[in-house]
Amino acid sequence: MTLSVHPATAEDIPRILDIQSTALRQSGFFRACGEINNPGGFQDHDEKYPEPIRRELQTKRLVYQMEHDPGFHLLKCVDDETGEILAFAKWNVYVGGPQALQRWREQMKTGEDMFVPEGANVEGYRYCMGKLFDNRKLFFGEEGRENCGMCYSSCN
């Protein structure tokens, strides 16, 4: 089997979200953030954002990031024989001077200043992502420094 890595397109997102849902369904982090259905917890959130609505919002968010965030990179790993997407990775690249660092600072906001995407469980998202962002600030400093980081990767 020969595999290759390519930039993902908007048409790839449904398959990417299928992989994410399968690979991360046991992740407390993703369940608390509201990215994945959370049976046994956050029923109010899951009722307000059932899977079809959540999937639509996630798709819109990824397309928006692909089109408007120059540092966002969504990659897919493809079986060259079948064309099937087997895995994906999300990367954030903050390289290129002051504009990149300003983007980093905007995206690392915590607390009430944090951007919480529509469809996310606000309390869980602020808690989980806030902890993640606080640790990034500890490492990179409050003002940040040029860096690139893989947000996560998942495979089927």
Side-chain angles (χ1 to χ4, degrees), residues 66-127:
M66 291 166 77
E67 293 175 350
H68 295 94
D69 184 343
F72 177 79
H73 300 277
L74 186 61
L75 303 176
K76 62 182 176 181
C77 178
V78 178
D79 178 332
D80 290 337
E81 293 173 20
T82 66
E84 180 183 12
I85 298 172
L86 302 176
F88 74 95
K90 284 177 62 175
W91 285 84
N92 285 320
V93 178
Y94 303 100
V95 175
Q99 291 175 327
L101 293 178
Q102 179 59 33
R103 219 172 9 86
W104 185 85
R105 286 188 292 274
E106 284 295 316
Q107 293 176 2
M108 295 301 120
K109 288 183 177 178
T110 56
E112 295 297 316
D113 292 335
M114 176 188 285
F115 169 75
V116 178
E118 183 181 1
N121 173 18
V122 175
E123 182 181 349
Y125 189 91
R126 279 203 173 118
Y127 178 81

Side-chain angles (χ1 to χ4, degrees), residues 92 94 104 107-108 129 131-141 150-151:
N92 285 320
Y94 303 100
W104 185 85
Q107 293 176 2
M108 295 301 120
M129 296 303 284
K131 295 289 186 190
L132 177 68
F133 295 163
D134 285 343
N135 282 321
R136 288 182 183 171
K137 288 185 229 177
L138 275 173
F139 187 78
F140 293 114
M150 183 168 48
C151 297

Side-chain angles (χ1 to χ4, degrees), residues 34 37 44-54 57 118-120:
N37 191 31
D44 291 344
H45 179 266
D46 287 346
E47 286 175 16
K48 184 175 180 182
Y49 297 103
E51 187 61 30
I53 294 172
R54 184 180 346 210
L57 293 170
E118 183 181 1

Side-chain angles (χ1 to χ4, degrees), residues 12-25 51 55 58 88 154-156:
D12 298 324
I13 292 174
R15 175 67 180 137
I16 286 169
L17 291 177
D18 287 343
I19 293 170
Q20 174 181 287
S21 294
T22 301
L24 303 174
R25 79 173 139 227
E51 187 61 30
R55 178 73 61 116
Q58 289 171 323
F88 74 95
S154 297
C155 62
N156 192 20

